[in-house]
Amino acid sequence: MLDKILYNTVLCQTFSPCGQYLIAGNIYGQIAVFDLDSILHPVIELLTPDFNKPKHLHLLEKGNQICSLASTEKFLIVGTVNEILGWEWKTVLQSKLSKPAWSIKISSLSRVDETDVNSLWLSDENNKIYAGCGDSKIYAYNLEDGRLVNTFDGHRDYIHSVHGRGQHLISAGEDGLLLLWDVRMNKHHNKLEPHTNDKVVRPDIGKWIGSAALGEDWIVCGGGPRLSLWHLRSLDVVTVFDVPDHGIHVSLFHDDCVIAGGAAKHLYQMSYSGEVKVELPVSAATVYSVALRTSPNKLLTIAGSSPEIDLCTSFNYRDQILHFR
């Protein structure tokens, strides 16, 4: 247990639909449930040394790592090894985790024995979930019946990141490719290879892309290549962000800003032109996950290669540190 405490890595996070709970998953197959109300608004008379630790700590039966998380009004969705699992929220919030309400087996066509579900993106428009996996495929499943409705095949190595907007999907992988898809088809219609661009290439770190996100007119991505902003239609690089990192694992858009982190001492918030607006210190040596919400209140949580999760209520500074123990 001591090793798990000292060498924990939190790969993913999500919020409950009611906003009261933060869910985090780690490499040991543990799912931590943090009660945000009691953490943000503690009753002084009832305060204990464990107030910033999980209310519940669940362990998957097989002990497979928790690779990715997503949330719907009814279900907590967990991406693990060879499988996507769904638990009703009322079950997750109990002291003991029962069997999942449903499960989807990843039917990989490759020779890979174990396929990590590295990234999940939920489309509210068509009630489908898109899973970027270790066998270099993206699988689309209908959430109503668990049926596989599409397979997106174009990467040559495992997928790190899947994100979408409307009918469009972007995926990023270890192969250094950024692929753009129309979710109604199973063939990519555009691709980017940032490691071939002299402005962003970093041969010493590698060609892999750790994260990519779609905006209305923009793509933000990073990994081995530098964090950069690309115009969605022309696919030209517009901004190369000057941040001192050794690999990017998180990138997203929020309120006309780019938020990004990875192997660096801070989580960065930047304008599209590259101005660094906020440098948030982080507990983890490498950031693998950021969860952000604006309702019912603003909250940003940052996790990675550490048992600590940083919690920020203003997005400008760190208020508290949660302990995954």
Side-chain angles (χ1 to χ4, degrees):
M1 182 58 69
L2 182 62
D3 286 345
K4 288 187 178 182
I5 292 174
L6 293 177
Y7 301 107
N8 200 350
T9 296
V10 181
L11 296 176
C12 48
Q13 304 170 84
T14 191
F15 293 110
S16 65
C18 65
Q20 183 176 343
Y21 300 96
L22 171 71
I23 314 298
N26 71 5
I27 58 174
Y28 300 113
Q30 294 175 311
I31 299 172
V33 180
F34 293 94
D35 186 339
L36 295 173
D37 279 358
S38 63
I39 292 171
L40 294 172
H41 310 290
V43 177
I44 302 301
E45 294 81 5
L46 303 176
L47 199 62
T48 69
D50 294 336
F51 85 99
N52 58 356
K53 294 181 180 180
K55 180 177 182 179
H56 304 303
L57 192 60
H58 304 307
L59 178 66
L60 290 194
E61 288 183 5
K62 297 178 182 177
N64 287 332
Q65 65 180 6
I66 311 298
C67 305
S68 50
L69 291 169
S71 173
T72 70
E73 283 296 321
K74 191 173 181 180
F75 296 107
L76 170 68
I77 302 175
V78 178
T80 179
V81 180
N82 296 332
E83 204 167 17
I84 302 172
L85 306 165
W87 278 273
E88 292 187 2
W89 277 107
K90 62 182 180 181
T91 301
V92 176
L93 302 179
Q94 294 173 354
S95 58
K96 186 176 181 180
L97 190 65
S98 59
K99 290 184 178 181
W102 53 264
S103 64
I104 298 171
K105 295 286 187 181
I106 304 297
S107 300
S108 175
L109 299 176
S110 74
R111 297 180 181 178
V112 178
D113 292 330
E114 294 190 344
T115 300
D116 293 348
V117 183
N118 293 321
S119 181
L120 292 171
W121 178 67
L122 179 67
S123 173
D124 295 326
E125 291 187 10
N126 58 19
N127 200 32
K128 293 181 176 64
I129 193 157
Y130 297 83
C133 296
D135 63 355
S136 76
K137 309 281 194 305
I138 304 167
Y139 300 99
Y141 296 95
N142 190 321
L143 279 178
E144 291 183 0
D145 55 16
R147 179 171 49 92
L148 177 65
V149 293
N150 214 341
T151 300
F152 302 87
D153 189 354
H155 283 280
R156 299 187 294 268
D157 209 333
Y158 53 89
I159 295 172
H160 287 294
S161 173
V162 174
H163 184 254
R165 184 182 179 91
Q167 300 295 329
H168 300 283
L169 194 71
I170 192 168
S171 58
E174 186 71 12
D175 54 8
L177 293 178
L178 273 175
L179 299 182
L180 291 157
W181 315 79
D182 186 316
V183 297
R184 295 161 294 191
M185 305 169 64
N186 61 358
K187 185 178 180 180
H188 62 272
H189 57 79
N190 263 318
K191 74 174 180 179
L192 276 172
E193 297 181 84
H195 67 277
T196 65
N197 187 295
D198 291 340
K199 296 179 181 179
V200 300
V201 63
R202 294 189 292 190
D204 55 321
I205 301 178
K207 66 180 182 179
W208 56 274
I209 303 295
S211 177
L214 275 177
E216 188 172 350
D217 297 306
W218 308 99
I219 298 168
V220 63
C221 64
R226 296 183 185 280
L227 180 71
S228 49
L229 185 72
W230 301 70
H231 191 261
L232 182 58
R233 291 175 180 81
S234 67
L235 298 183
D236 291 329
V237 61
V238 175
T239 304
V240 180
F241 298 98
D242 185 18
V243 293
D245 70 280
H246 296 280
I248 293 292
H249 296 281
V250 173
S251 61
L252 62 141
F253 292 104
H254 175 68
D255 280 355
D256 296 325
C257 280
V258 167
I259 296 177
K265 295 181 179 180
H266 298 86
L267 183 78
Y268 298 94
Q269 299 177 39
M270 297 156 287
S271 69
Y272 289 2
S273 63
E275 176 191 0
V276 177
K277 294 179 173 292
V278 179
E279 289 181 324
L280 274 172
V282 294
S283 298
T286 300
V287 173
Y288 290 114
S289 170
V290 166
L292 183 153
R293 75 174 194 206
T294 56
S295 178
N297 52 16
K298 292 178 66 175
L299 203 59
L300 177 72
T301 57
I302 310 158
S305 56
S306 168
E308 275 74 44
I309 300 175
D310 301 316
L311 185 150
C312 315
T313 57
S314 72
F315 298 2
N316 293 322
Y317 59 89
R318 179 172 55 189
D319 296 87
Q320 292 191 42
I321 298 177
L322 310 182
H323 297 275
F324 198 128
R325 296 178 184 176

